[in-house]
């Protein structure tokens, strides 16, 4: 797809992997339609092994199915910018083995599992979002990481992750959890914070 693409709802025909877009490359921005008077409803799985060279945007949507159903392939898929704003996820969010330049999650509610494993992320900011289910970022790398005004209700796993930039001690690479509340166990086992960690204003129910 060489131009801007809108993900309109369409009836999904039976196919092997039950997705709408498989092995596709999007060279321009991709987004859901925006309706001011109500949420956009996503009832079908959307992507399998697709690449995004510009922004993939989900805004003001209610997600009732998995967004990504990627295969367990060896190579990581590219996503230049992932933006999720004002969304409710009632199905598992699973996005593994990605290379993401920029990720923004703002004003969102994830009612079930959030899986973000084995990813390489240059810059991610999670703001005013709540995670009701398990949060798993196993073996992911975050050069710049910021979470602010978020609540994690279930188990949180940052096992064997790498935060920061070993070549710089600039504050922008310090991993920050600001006014973040962890209501269950948080696992940082085997994790490195190359440029520092700021948990001054973090509420921890259990020792991490």
């Amino acid at each position: 797809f060489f131009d801007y693409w809108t993900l309109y709802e369409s009836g999904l025909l039976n196919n092997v992997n039950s997705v709408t877009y498989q092995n596709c490359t999007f060279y321009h921005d991709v987004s859901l339609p925006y309706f001011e008077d109500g949420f956009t409803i996503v009832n079908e799985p959307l992507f399998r092994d697709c690449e995004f060279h510009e922004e993939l945007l989900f805004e003001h949507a209610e997600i009732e199915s998995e967004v990504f159903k990627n295969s367990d392939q060896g190579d990581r898929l590219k996503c230049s910018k992932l933006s999720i704003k004002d969304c409710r996820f009632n199905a598992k969010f699973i996005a593994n083995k990605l290379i993401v330049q920029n990720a923004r999650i703002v004003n969102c509610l994830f009612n079930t599992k959030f899986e973000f494993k084995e990813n390489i992320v240059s810059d991610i900011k999670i703001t005013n979002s709540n995670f009701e289910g398990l949060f798993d970022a196993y073996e992911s790398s975050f050069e710049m990481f910021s979470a602010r005004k978020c609540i994690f209700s279930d188990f949180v796993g940052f096992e064997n992750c790498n935060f920061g930039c070993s070549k710089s001690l600039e504050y922008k690479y310090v991993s920050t959890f600001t006014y973040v509340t962890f209501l269950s166990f948080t696992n940082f086992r085997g994790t490195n914070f190359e440029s520092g960690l700021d948990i001054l204003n973090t509420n921890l129910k259990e020792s991490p």
Side-chain angles (χ1 to χ4, degrees):
F1 297 81
F2 289 95
D3 207 344
Y4 179 91
W5 190 255
T6 302
L7 302 166
Y8 287 105
E9 181 76 15
S10 59
L12 181 64
L13 297 174
N14 291 330
N15 62 77
V16 174
N17 294 305
S18 299
V19 295
T20 306
Y21 302 91
Q22 181 166 319
N23 297 105
C24 297
T25 302
F26 298 89
Y27 289 99
H28 212 292
D29 294 346
V30 180
S31 71
L32 293 168
Y34 183 84
F35 303 108
E36 291 185 358
D37 57 346
F39 281 81
T40 301
I41 309 297
V42 178
N43 287 311
E44 303 289 352
L46 292 174
F47 305 111
R48 182 177 177 87
D49 299 342
C50 296
E51 293 205 346
F52 305 89
H53 287 238
E54 295 293 337
E55 182 179 25
L56 173 59
L57 170 64
F58 294 91
E59 186 176 13
H60 207 62
E62 187 152 353
I63 314 296
E64 302 289 347
S65 64
E66 292 183 50
V67 174
F68 302 98
K69 292 185 69 175
N70 294 334
S71 61
D72 190 18
Q73 58 181 14
D75 296 331
R76 288 182 170 89
L77 296 167
K78 295 180 181 179
C79 181
S80 180
K81 184 175 182 179
L82 176 62
S83 300
I84 306 174
K85 303 175 182 178
D86 301 304
C87 291
R88 293 197 299 259
F89 285 79
N90 298 318
K92 292 184 293 185
F93 181 88
I94 299 176
N96 299 329
K97 289 190 175 181
L98 301 177
I99 298 175
V100 183
Q101 293 298 316
N102 186 294
R104 297 290 182 269
I105 300 174
V106 182
N107 299 333
C108 290
L109 174 62
F110 296 86
N111 284 312
T112 60
K113 184 178 183 180
F114 183 96
E115 187 173 303
F116 203 69
K117 299 192 301 186
E118 299 180 66
N119 295 325
I120 299 174
V121 185
S122 297
D123 183 6
I124 182 170
K125 287 183 172 61
I126 307 173
T127 307
N128 196 34
S129 296
N130 295 340
F131 299 83
E132 298 294 324
L134 184 146
F135 181 102
D136 190 0
Y138 177 76
E139 284 194 353
S140 286
S141 174
F142 306 99
E143 194 169 63
M144 289 185 280
F145 181 97
S146 171
R148 183 180 179 84
K149 293 185 178 179
C150 298
I151 298 175
F152 296 85
S153 298
D154 206 335
F155 173 85
V156 176
F158 285 107
E159 186 172 357
N160 293 337
C161 289
N162 197 82
F163 291 80
C165 177
S166 61
K167 298 179 181 179
S168 176
L169 292 178
E170 292 183 64
Y171 185 78
K172 67 179 182 179
Y173 294 110
V174 175
S175 303
T176 61
F177 294 83
T178 308
Y179 306 120
V180 173
T181 298
F182 295 97
L183 295 177
S184 185
F185 182 69
T186 308
N187 179 14
F188 287 103
R189 186 182 298 114
T191 292
N192 295 314
F193 296 94
E194 303 281 359
S195 306
L197 171 65
D198 184 349
I199 53 172
L200 179 64
N201 293 301
T202 301
N203 299 308
L204 293 158
K205 185 177 182 180
E206 304 283 348
S207 171

